[in-house]
Amino acid sequence: ETGVTQSPTHLIKTRGQQVTLRCSSQSGHNTVSWYQQALGQGPQFIFQYYREEENGRGNFPPRFSGLQFPNYSSELNVNALELDDSALYLCASSTTTYEQYFGPGTRLTVT
Amino acid sequence: AQSVTQPDIHITVSEGASLELRCNYSYGATPYLFWYVQSPGQGLQLLLKYFSGDTLVQGIKGFEAEFKRSQSSFNLRKPSVHWSDAAEYFCAVGVGSARQLTFGSGTQLTVLP
């Protein structure tokens, strides 16, 4: 059974740029959630995708957007990057339950 | 709105000693409760979960947690800590139509030899 994978592992962007992060869900999981984890804090829910549609959203501005593909993989896009967007971005996959399985994360640094 | 409190930012224990990490939640109904562990620079690994039924739940790596409705708590315990248990531990509540997780701020565990 393949777990959740994320790419890239690390990346560095400049303020104002755009970034795309990718996530492949665990086999058999049809739901993908994205979380932002700032340094020294717990993860915060960004949004969730189910059947290729956004299924819920946390307190994040519209410049955070996403996609889910027919194979249940997902992308997180962030436009107009700000310094405060520097964080570990975690993807989690699940079925129709609350039990979520996390990938290793993408470390984004905005300079 | 739901919230999760982990009162202890940092806990230090000696190897072989027992461990209890505290978690309190605020939510109107019986929540779905989770404990995750995160090693430095890594993602989160699910240790255990409580959905319903027996209030004492067993997880991986010898961890257990007890749900106490009257105290709105879900404390994590381990009878004998190993050096490899050093990590950050997060308590989480599952709520909402999207079944999203709300996390506490975490407890950093240091294990002394």
Side-chain angles (χ1 to χ4, degrees), chain B:
Chain B
Q2 68 282 354
S3 66
V4 179
T5 302
Q6 294 181 246
D8 304 305
I9 297 173
H10 195 176
I11 283 184
T12 300
V13 299
S14 297
E15 190 169 19
S18 64
L19 172 69
E20 182 169 27
L21 302 183
R22 296 184 290 166
C23 172
N24 293 95
Y25 66 89
S26 173
Y27 184 57
T30 300
Y32 298 91
L33 296 161
F34 303 84
W35 276 98
Y36 284 86
V37 61
Q38 185 177 37
S39 296
Q42 301 298 311
L44 301 170
Q45 182 181 23
L46 179 63
L47 283 176
L48 47 76
K49 60 187 182 288
Y50 173 78
F51 287 176
S52 64
D54 193 348
T55 56
L56 184 64
V57 294
Q58 302 297 319
I60 62 171
K61 303 184 179 187
F63 285 93
E64 67 178 26
E66 185 172 12
F67 170 59
K68 292 186 177 180
R69 184 190 307 274
S70 61
Q71 299 177 19
S72 297
S73 69
F74 187 57
N75 294 348
L76 182 71
R77 300 194 295 248
K78 187 170 185 178
S80 178
V81 170
H82 188 261
W83 64 267
S84 60
D85 293 325
E88 187 145 28
Y89 291 80
F90 291 95
C91 180
V93 170
V95 295
S97 59
R99 295 182 291 276
Q100 65 262 35
L101 299 178
T102 297
F103 286 86
S105 54
T107 297
Q108 181 69 46
L109 174 65
T110 298
V111 180
L112 300 176

Side-chain angles (χ1 to χ4, degrees), chain A residues 38-84:
Chain A
L39 198 60
Q41 298 182 20
Q44 286 194 295
F45 176 70
I46 303 174
F47 46 56
Q48 181 183 92
Y49 277 83
Y50 171 66
R51 292 186 175 179
E52 303 178 50
E53 294 199 359
E54 188 177 290
N55 187 45
R57 189 177 185 93
N59 188 26
F60 281 82
R63 60 188 185 85
F64 285 78
S65 63
L67 286 172
Q68 187 180 33
F69 300 98
N71 66 354
Y72 305 130
S73 66
S74 176
E75 287 183 355
L76 164 65
N77 299 289
V78 187
N79 293 322
L81 283 167
E82 300 177 359
L83 296 179
D84 285 349

